[in-house]
Amino acid sequence: MKKPFVTLEQLKEITKKYPTPFHIYDEKGIRENARRLKEAFAWNSGFKEYFAVKATPNPFILKILQEEGCGADCSSMTELMLSEAIGFSGNDIMFSSNATPAEEFIKAREMNGTINLDDFTHIDFLEKVAGIPETISCRYNPGGVFKISTDIMDNPGEAKFGFTKEQMVEGFKILKSKGVKNFGIHSFLASNTVSNEYYPTLARVLFELAVELKEKTGADIKFINLSGGIGIPYMPDQEPNDIMVIGEGVRKTFEEVLVPAGMGEVSIFTELGRYMLAPYGHLVATAIHEKHIHKEYIGLDASAVNLMRPAMYGAYHHITVMGKEDGPCDHKYDITGSLCENNDKFAVDRMLPKIDMGDFLVIHDTGAHGFAMGYNYNGKLRSSELLLKEDGSVQLIRRAETPKDYFATFDFCDILKNIKY
């Protein structure tokens, strides 16, 4: 059973100053997890994790990860700007984007970050708008389906990302002729895998590709980026990944494929988001309404604007009714928000302890792709973000939005000057 990293007593104190809903993150858990990842790949002297900024774009979180030796994987102008403000630059920046505007390539070049090209046609585009750097990476899409054992994990052939193998060969030749000296390879073939096989299987695909590219193009391949895809057990009965087993699996593949090819100095990179942060974030909300019609409903002061994964694609997030952790789960509820959309539900037909008005509900595993995917539909305002620090204190790391924030982009509109805040 999943257990919150905050207690009911802590929440009672926290909400005296910061009302629900809010996202709260566990600094101790984040740091310990980053250290486990680093230990799992310590066999590779050049290993580096580039945290996927899109997962949790908060400067306080990014600073913690920077202190733990992580870089930043950015995919937009504002993510580059945020990372630069924190102090990431040069080899600490990986810029992985697609359908990329010219100004974003220019910014990445100005920061001397490593550009991870998503498409063959981007070679000429990048050269035209920002110039070709000496170090560059290219994203590979093998097409078809991606399998682990007998299970189909994902369908790269339907994904919009990456070069074909033929384009990788030709692209490396072209880039080499344009002055590139250091090459990298990147691929992302499956999302949120709860399998220790995924990374080693992906590694074999990329390691074998690296050997082939070196033979056919003479490119000096400096790093291989295994990207993200290591997932977390959202369901309480799922077995979690074992990062030490994963790291050892990649090591064995490295020694089987790259070392015999004279490529034992290649660095391994990762760009994890969900694995790094998801379990260390909770959305905390209060039960404010109950409804008894064809089903039993509990209405929260949070909604899909605070966590859209369940509404977007039926994702499961475990829920703890605080103070009733040991109570019988003998009530069936739909847990809802207040949006004018019927899919605004955090849980459907969920068996939980009896919920009373005023109860705190902790929605688990929201530390990645939680707050970050928020929006303002129905004029709803984004919540605050809090950090539970290692010493037990709580720090506000993003204030809640106000109506003034919501209307700020209409500051040229005379009609709205009459609004009273």
Side-chain angles (χ1 to χ4, degrees), residues 150-389:
T150 59
D151 297 326
I152 295 176
M153 300 302 297
D154 220 323
N155 189 354
E158 295 295 324
K160 67 175 181 173
F161 308 105
F163 292 56
T164 67
K165 181 181 286 189
E166 293 75 17
Q167 289 174 336
M168 290 288 286
V169 173
E170 185 63 21
F172 271 39
K173 289 178 179 177
I174 293 171
L175 287 165
K176 190 177 178 185
S177 73
K178 293 181 181 295
V180 173
K181 296 179 180 178
N182 308 306
F183 287 83
I185 302 171
H186 169 285
S187 193
F188 181 95
L189 299 185
S191 180
N192 193 40
T193 61
V194 188
S195 167
N196 294 331
E197 291 183 61
Y198 170 61
Y199 249 23
T201 305
L202 170 63
R204 185 171 295 277
V205 171
L206 295 185
F207 294 170
E208 290 176 351
L209 174 65
V211 173
E212 183 176 346
L213 288 171
K214 180 184 177 183
E215 291 174 349
K216 291 183 176 180
T217 70
D220 187 2
I221 298 172
K222 295 292 189 182
F223 64 87
I224 294 174
N225 189 337
L226 301 177
S227 66
I230 296 180
I232 65 160
Y234 284 101
M235 304 287 290
D237 58 349
Q238 283 181 300
E239 284 294 320
N241 287 309
D242 186 330
I243 197 63
M244 301 307 293
V245 171
I246 291 171
E248 177 63 12
V250 175
R251 184 193 66 78
K252 288 181 178 178
T253 306
F254 186 95
E255 293 187 352
E256 289 173 8
V257 180
L258 291 183
V259 171
M263 301 177 70
E265 300 301 315
V266 170
S267 296
I268 301 300
F269 296 163
T270 58
E271 49 178 55
L272 300 167
R274 194 188 316 267
Y275 175 80
M276 298 296 288
L277 256 294
Y280 311 106
H282 295 330
L283 172 59
V284 182
T286 302
I288 59 173
H289 288 290
E290 56 185 330
K291 186 170 186 174
H292 317 285
I293 50 171
H294 307 294
K295 300 181 76 172
E296 295 294 301
Y297 294 95
I298 295 294
L300 305 183
D301 57 0
S303 67
V305 303
N306 306 110
L307 177 67
M308 74 182 297
R309 296 184 74 252
M312 188 176 185
Y313 39 82
Y316 180 96
H317 281 264
H318 196 65
I319 295 174
T320 297
V321 183
M322 298 301 289
K324 301 178 180 180
E325 294 89 342
D326 298 323
C329 293
D330 54 4
H331 285 64
K332 183 187 288 185
Y333 297 114
D334 281 15
I335 308 296
T336 81
S338 61
L339 295 186
C340 298
E341 293 289 341
N342 196 46
N343 67 348
D344 181 20
K345 297 178 179 180
F346 295 108
V348 175
D349 293 334
R350 185 75 60 86
M351 298 303 297
L352 292 166
K354 183 180 184 300
I355 298 174
D356 298 302
M357 296 305 91
D359 280 348
F360 293 125
L361 274 66
V362 163
I363 303 176
H364 291 252
D365 301 319
T366 68
H369 310 291
F371 182 96
M373 297 175 74
Y375 55 106
N376 288 124
Y377 182 61
N378 274 180
K380 294 291 185 178
L381 304 174
R382 291 177 177 86
S383 69
S384 60
E385 291 181 291
L386 310 178
L387 181 66
L388 177 63
K389 297 179 72 66

Side-chain angles (χ1 to χ4, degrees), residues 29-187:
I30 293 168
R31 289 189 184 277
E32 289 177 349
N33 196 43
R35 291 167 190 171
R36 281 194 297 271
L37 174 66
K38 191 173 181 180
E39 181 184 357
F41 286 89
W43 54 267
N44 184 263
S45 60
F47 173 75
K48 193 172 186 68
E49 155 64 11
Y50 289 84
F51 175 69
V53 175
K54 60 181 173 287
T56 318
N58 186 293
F60 293 87
I61 298 297
L62 294 178
K63 194 66 180 177
I64 289 171
L65 293 170
Q66 184 186 50
E67 290 170 359
E68 296 298 333
C70 299
D73 174 69
C74 303
S75 57
S76 70
M77 175 65 81
T78 47
E79 289 180 4
L80 286 168
M81 293 170 66
L82 173 60
S83 300
E84 182 179 41
I86 293 164
F88 292 103
S89 64
N91 292 334
D92 289 331
I93 293 283
M94 184 72 64
F95 181 61
S96 301
S97 178
N98 68 97
T100 308
E103 58 269 22
E104 296 185 4
F105 275 139
I106 293 169
K107 182 64 176 177
R109 289 283 282 121
E110 288 176 352
M111 294 173 65
N112 200 30
T114 300
I115 292 173
N116 182 30
L117 286 179
D118 179 68
D119 184 66
F120 182 81
T121 64
H122 290 185
I123 297 172
D124 287 342
F125 185 78
L126 176 63
E127 182 177 37
K128 179 180 178 182
V129 302
I132 301 292
E134 290 190 353
T135 299
I136 203 162
S137 177
C138 293
R139 183 168 183 168
Y140 174 53
N141 183 334
V145 296
F146 181 72
K147 295 183 179 182
I148 295 177
S149 299
T150 59
D151 297 326
I152 295 176
M153 300 302 297
D154 220 323
N155 189 354
E158 295 295 324
K160 67 175 181 173
F161 308 105
F163 292 56
T164 67
K165 181 181 286 189
E166 293 75 17
Q167 289 174 336
M168 290 288 286
V169 173
E170 185 63 21
F172 271 39
K173 289 178 179 177
I174 293 171
L175 287 165
K176 190 177 178 185
S177 73
K178 293 181 181 295
V180 173
K181 296 179 180 178
N182 308 306
F183 287 83
I185 302 171
H186 169 285
S187 193

